[in-house]
Each structure stands twice: as C-alpha cells, then as structure tokens.
Amino acid sequence: MRAFFRLGLVGALALVQPAQAGDYVGPKVDEFVQEMTREYGFAGEQLTRLFAEAERKQTILDAISRPAERVKPWHEYRPIFITDARIGQGVDFWRQHEDALARAQAEYGVASEVIVAIIGVETFYGRNTGSYRVIDALSTLGFDYPPRAPFFRQQLKEFLLLAREEQVDPLALKGSYAGAMGLPQFMPSSFRAYAVDFDGDGRIDIWNNPVDAIGSVASYFKAHGWQPGAPVVASASTEGERAQEGLTEGLESTLNAAQLKALGWKTEAALADDVPVTAFKLDGEKGEEYWIGLPNFYTITRYNRSVMYAMAVHQLSQQIAAARGRS
C-alpha cells in the first residue's frame, strides 16, 4: 500500500514499546486477546502491546450516542448529494480513471457511473475518508459502547486479520469514527470479503489507490446481486383504495410487479410480472413521488440500508453520466 508501512502486524508491533497503563490494557481486553490467540494464532503478548497503543476516543462515543437527527424528507436529503460540485468532480474522476472503470464494468457488470456515484456519496471521491485511527475507533466501540459492542468487536477481529493478511501497520490505517475505511468506506469485514487488488500490484489499497477502490466497489456490487444493464427504479403513480397496501415496510421485497399492479400501482416501465419489487413514497419538492425499486435498487441498499441513500446514489449516477455525455 503506497502510503503505508509494509511492516505487517508482527513487524509493526516490534516497534511498539512495552505495554504501559493505557486505555486498553488490562482485564477488559484480556479475553479478546486470548480469543484471537486461540482462534487465529496471534501472539498474545504482541496484541497486548498493540492495544496498549490504542486510545479511547470520547468524541467517537459522543458521535455514535448522539440522538438521531430528524429524518430529513427527500427534498432536503437529495440536495446534500446531488450538487453541481459532486457531479462535476464525478465527471473528472471518471475521466481520470476511465480505463479502470471500463475494466470494472466489463469484469463485474457494474455500470461505471454507479461506481463513481458510490465513491462520490461516500467520500466525495476521497476527500473525506475519515481521520480516526481504525484501531482507536474499533477498540473504543468494541470495548466501551455496550449497545453494539459485539458487532464492533467482530470488526476489530476482522481488522486485525486484515492487517496481518495485507502486511500493513494496524496503527497507521485511518477511517471514520465507526471504522469505515478508504474511498469506498468499507468496514473491515467487507474489505476482507470483497476488496480486490484491481491494479495487480500485489496489494489491496482502498485508501490511496482509486483503481483498487473502483474494483472493490464493483466486486461488492456483483457479490450482492447487481444485474448488468438492468434498471434500478421505475417511477409510478397510484390509484384506488388499496394502493397504500403496496408500500414496502423496510427494504426487503415482499411483492412482485404483478401483485403491486393489482394494488393500484402503475408505471410506464415494462416490468416482468414476477420481478421482485419494493414500493416507496418520497416527499419531493413538488409533492409526493411514488417509486418502484427493482433488484438493482435492492443491491444498492446492501451498501447502505436506506431508501434515500440508494436513490441519491442512483440519481447522482444518472446526473454524472449525463454531464459526461454533454462534455
């Protein structure tokens, strides 16, 4: 990884001083260290020294514990991501990495504009990738945030395995307050499952190498069922007393297109009767908007479990593609 110490976990820990009385030294991490030693063959003494360097970050606990903001309606949420700057820089990113995007589309079947839009929404094309050390974020949340401690301890395991496998310094990698990493904001488990060495240099670097980030996003989408060339959503209208019964609760498809049509949903798109769909309503600038989500829409929600997130990615991708076509 071009900006990282290629030390590996053992090499990095050799530089760590003997364990001091730090935030993560003592009984609360001993069981975790023993588990990593027993199940994955790590050296307990080395892990203890690593955790002696990890720091508890109150700002992380404050951020994750903060009461949820009012859920923005679509007409307020959309302008956060669909901006002239994000569209223009998306076109620039596409031009700069055109070969990699074309290859990702050919190998994984994921449209270039969708890959660009994901990276644009997640980190503004690498501008905002996070400033916390991943070891601090995951230790803080894994040991000091009981509501989701099991999840973050699992991500901490995945992170240590990642550092060992990729032979990188676990104290050097940075990410978000929740431990999401790099241009595509992969959690460690997603990195290990889907990240790829797309430029063939023998390293997977989603922090500094846009080519690897491009391939990794495409790999993730393919693994989660992206259908090449298929539409994402269809605009709809509704009529009749039963139309509201068609609205999907959550994100999982419970109806197919024929069943939704029978409830009073109409669209000009040609949909196979048996295609699984989600149906949702958004509060747009001009009033209520009705949409039918198709399997590729569901795939986008696997990246972030939010209807509005998936719509923002989709519409940003359309805007970027259109702007590129005009330029």
Side-chain angles (χ1 to χ4, degrees):
M1 298 185 176
R2 294 168 185 167
F4 300 155
F5 299 118
R6 294 284 296 172
L7 296 174
L9 192 58
V10 174
L13 293 177
L15 302 180
V16 177
Q17 297 300 313
Q20 304 291 319
D23 294 328
Y24 295 106
V25 172
K28 65 181 175 180
V29 298
D30 286 348
E31 182 179 351
F32 181 86
V33 168
Q34 291 169 9
E35 183 178 351
M36 295 300 293
T37 301
R38 181 176 63 253
E39 296 187 7
Y40 302 105
F42 283 87
E45 180 181 350
Q46 292 179 334
L47 283 184
T48 298
R49 290 162 57 193
L50 173 65
F51 282 117
E53 294 293 305
E55 298 178 3
R56 181 185 186 276
K57 297 291 186 181
Q58 185 61 43
T59 53
I60 290 175
L61 294 171
D62 292 342
I64 203 166
S65 303
R66 189 176 298 130
E69 296 180 0
R70 175 182 66 91
V71 176
K72 291 180 172 63
W74 174 238
H75 64 82
E76 293 181 16
Y77 183 93
R78 185 182 186 276
I80 297 172
F81 299 102
I82 315 296
T83 65
D84 289 343
R86 212 175 295 255
I87 293 165
Q89 291 191 35
V91 173
D92 292 341
F93 183 88
W94 194 338
R95 287 176 177 156
Q96 185 177 359
H97 304 291
E98 187 164 1
D99 290 345
L101 286 160
R103 185 159 56 89
Q105 182 166 332
E107 292 187 19
Y108 295 101
V110 184
S112 297
E113 60 266 28
V114 173
I115 300 171
V116 175
I118 285 285
I119 294 173
V121 167
E122 289 292 338
T123 60
F124 213 131
Y125 314 104
R127 179 187 297 180
N128 305 313
T129 59
S131 59
Y132 289 100
R133 292 194 309 178
V134 178
I135 190 69
D136 295 336
L138 296 179
S139 296
T140 297
L141 295 172
F143 296 120
D144 287 314
Y145 185 62
R148 297 193 66 194
F151 170 79
F152 286 109
R153 277 200 296 270
Q154 180 60 38
Q155 292 303 316
L156 182 55
K157 292 178 186 178
E158 299 277 358
F159 177 68
L160 295 172
L161 290 165
L162 178 166
R164 183 170 70 180
E165 291 161 356
E166 298 301 316
Q167 289 292 289
V168 294
D169 179 1
L171 296 174
L173 304 183
K174 292 186 177 182
S176 74
Y177 75 84
M181 306 176 300
L183 276 74
Q185 291 290 276
F186 274 13
M187 293 299 288
S189 59
S190 291
F191 182 104
R192 294 189 66 227
Y194 309 113
V196 296
D197 171 20
F198 204 52
D199 67 354
D201 68 353
R203 308 169 184 176
I204 303 176
D205 179 3
I206 62 171
W207 289 264
N208 307 294
N209 185 345
V211 175
D212 283 357
I214 287 165
S216 297
V217 170
S219 168
Y220 186 101
F221 269 62
K222 181 178 180 179
H224 287 80
W226 184 264
Q227 299 177 3
V232 175
V233 295
S235 61
S237 60
T238 62
E239 65 178 15
E241 296 179 356
R242 300 192 64 196
Q244 297 301 307
E245 297 177 28
L247 291 170
T248 304
E249 294 185 8
L251 298 170
E252 307 293 331
S253 298
T254 58
L255 300 174
N256 61 32
Q259 292 168 323
L260 191 63
K261 182 179 180 181
L263 291 172
W265 285 67
K266 296 182 177 181
T267 179
E268 294 182 0
L271 304 179
D273 284 347
D274 61 350
V275 66
V277 297
T278 55
F280 52 95
K281 177 177 63 175
L282 298 175
D283 296 320
E285 288 185 353
K286 298 179 180 180
E288 294 179 342
E289 302 175 6
Y290 289 87
W291 294 92
I292 299 173
L294 303 170
N296 278 349
F297 184 82
Y298 180 74
T299 295
I300 300 175
T301 68
R302 300 303 85 194
Y303 209 95
N304 183 310
R305 295 184 62 83
S306 163
V307 165
M308 287 194 289
Y309 173 91
M311 280 296 288
V313 167
H314 170 61
Q315 293 192 359
L316 179 61
S317 75
Q318 291 184 312
Q319 295 282 341
I320 292 169
R324 182 173 180 270
R326 291 192 298 268
S327 61

